[in-house]
Amino acid sequence: MGSLRVFSTLTHDARIFVAGHKGLVGSAIVRRLTSYGFSNLVLKTRAELDLLDQAAVRDFFREEKIDFVFVCAAKVGGILHNSRHQADFIYENLMISANIIQAAALYDVKKLLYLGSSCIYPKFSPQPIPEEALLSGPLEPTNEGYAIAKIAGLKMCEKFYTQYGKCFVSVMPTNMYGPNDNFHPDHSHVIPGMMRRFHEAARGGASSVTVWGTGSPRREFLYSDDFAEAALTVMESYNEPGFLNVGTGEDVTICELAFTMAKVVGFKGEIIFDSSKPDGTPRKVLDVSKVKSLGWEPQISLEVGLRLAYEWALGADAFSLSPESRVVQVPGV
Ligand code: GFB
């Protein structure tokens, strides 16, 4: 028995491809679709379908007769990894986006949902950031490669919508966290990276733990299950060539995040801020009024979400594996 919610765009017999289903975002969408009783999901590992291979992606769409696509596959990483591998980030994300969007158009996908990211807005955008701020100023240099590729994907969807009438729409999620995140100490985003560091400090009885940057940047965080519900809402009822921001509309400083993390993980020592590490963009909280007007609201507070993510990480042994074995290549935004 699935949860109760009436769907009209997504039909229960539809073939739904979730690209990147093993990652943070894709796995949350699969959990949510499954809980609503959608069983005709098409899921492919990287070994089964290389999204960088245009011919393989075209063959896949021709053979599988896909109705709906959630594009959660992307090469992603936290601030340090992103800034040091910009060639890989621009190339892989351009290829993944172009291959999927073009093949979906060619083989008559009914609707496609593409994921951008709040970090692709200009570095100094008005706060909260409205959708109109896209391409209105210079980008944050630490993730310019990633941002250019994601902007291209978003614009491809818009242009395929206007030129060919393809219902390809996008969402612009804020920083997300949750199960199946990447807990690598250096490659990860701030929540899993910090969680790992605090966990190891607490378990090892360390007197202090180091947090990157000055602690003053502000970030907005959304639990992946809340995002998944928003993604289904947008897939159901947003039909315009464009995109919608998805976030909580509220942010905290990295310093506040660190104190909440200490509470969740049970770390009682000193927190040291290492200002030799990059801060990144000073602030990027989203204006979420448009997505909220579709009837969606986030349900999970930051502290509750951090507890859920920590429970998941402990249960999945996410901290005890060697860092290299935890590197996930296609985990969503
Ligand atoms: O999640 P994060 O790496 O990405 O967060 P961005 C970076 C912020 O957290 C910076 C601080 O201010 C860091 O100084 N920070 C503190 C840490 N401790 C840590 C830690 O242990 N690990 C990490 N990673 N940061 C990303 C983009 O920007 O936003 C990506 O680079 C992506 O492209 C993502 O799209 C959503 O929010 O700065």
Side-chain angles (χ1 to χ4, degrees):
M1 258 308 261
S3 312
L4 278 180
R5 178 170 168 177
V6 178
F7 289 89
S8 52
T9 302
L10 284 168
T11 50
H12 279 82
D13 57 347
R15 287 177 69 67
I16 304 173
F17 175 42
V18 182
H21 71 282
K22 289 195 153 192
L24 167 68
V25 185
S27 65
I29 288 181
V30 168
R31 278 197 301 281
R32 194 50 58 123
L33 285 168
T34 307
S35 81
Y36 285 129
F38 292 96
S39 53
N40 209 352
L41 306 185
V42 182
L43 309 173
K44 297 283 175 192
T45 62
R46 181 176 253 218
E48 291 165 337
L49 175 62
D50 180 0
L51 296 171
L52 299 176
D53 180 341
Q54 184 183 37
V57 174
R58 279 197 191 160
D59 289 348
F60 165 78
F61 275 91
R62 191 181 57 245
E63 285 158 19
E64 293 286 351
K65 312 263 182 287
I66 302 294
D67 296 306
F68 296 93
V69 183
F70 290 88
V71 187
C72 307
K75 181 171 182 65
V76 302
I79 190 164
L80 212 56
H81 194 56
N82 223 303
S83 61
R84 291 179 180 167
H85 300 86
Q86 299 224 25
D88 303 333
F89 275 78
I90 192 167
Y91 168 70
E92 292 195 25
N93 287 307
L94 276 173
M95 295 302 285
I96 291 170
S97 307
N99 290 344
I100 294 179
I101 294 165
Q102 198 263 351
L106 200 57
Y107 295 108
D108 296 324
V109 162
K110 293 190 179 102
K111 191 162 181 178
L112 177 146
L113 183 74
Y114 182 80
L115 270 66
S117 166
S118 62
C119 66
I120 74 179
Y121 279 117
K123 181 177 174 94
F124 298 108
S125 295
Q127 307 288 326
I129 310 175
E131 283 84 354
E132 295 72 28
L134 189 70
L135 290 172
S136 63
L139 299 166
E140 157 61 33
T142 54
N143 68 0
E144 193 185 62
Y146 175 81
I148 293 282
K150 280 286 170 183
I151 292 169
L154 225 77
K155 285 289 171 189
M156 263 190 92
C157 290
E158 187 187 303
K159 304 306 176 197
F160 274 73
Y161 203 129
T162 46
Q163 185 180 341
Y164 294 118
K166 299 288 171 186
C167 197
F168 293 177
V169 300
S170 305
V171 282
M172 198 75 110
T174 191
N175 293 37
M176 286 185 277
Y177 66 103
N180 296 309
D181 213 337
N182 171 9
F183 288 83
H184 189 284
D186 300 324
H187 298 182
S188 60
H189 288 103
V190 57
I191 286 187
M194 196 189 264
M195 191 177 278
R196 182 182 185 122
R197 225 162 265 130
F198 276 67
H199 169 80
E200 286 170 354
R203 291 286 163 103
S207 58
S208 66
V209 68
T210 302
V211 168
W212 296 357
T214 60
S216 61
R218 302 185 70 86
R219 292 289 183 275
E220 175 189 17
F221 297 105
L222 183 67
Y223 193 71
S224 58
D225 286 354
D226 269 340
F227 172 76
E229 186 66 25
L232 265 58
T233 301
V234 173
M235 186 61 113
E236 263 298 287
S237 45
Y238 179 64
N239 298 304
E240 286 171 38
F243 61 92
L244 295 177
N245 288 339
V246 180
T248 61
E250 289 167 15
D251 59 359
V252 293
T253 63
I254 296 297
C255 181
E256 287 163 338
L257 173 69
F259 279 96
T260 311
M261 188 68 81
K263 189 171 153 195
V264 167
V265 170
F267 174 73
K268 296 192 171 59
E270 190 188 356
I271 300 173
I272 297 168
F273 290 89
D274 173 7
S275 56
S276 72
K277 291 282 195 311
D279 266 347
T281 201
R283 193 176 186 202
K284 47 174 179 171
V285 65
L286 293 175
D287 176 344
V288 289
S289 47
K290 287 188 181 141
V291 71
K292 283 189 170 181
S293 74
L294 298 180
W296 171 83
E297 282 280 343
Q299 305 294 322
I300 300 168
S301 71
L302 180 59
E303 187 172 333
V304 170
L306 289 177
R307 289 190 190 284
L308 291 170
Y310 189 49
E311 266 169 37
W312 179 87
L314 292 175
D317 237 1
F319 305 118
S320 68
L321 296 171
S322 78
E324 290 317 317
S325 65
R326 296 297 307 166
V327 178
V328 181
Q329 291 295 336
V330 189
V333 289

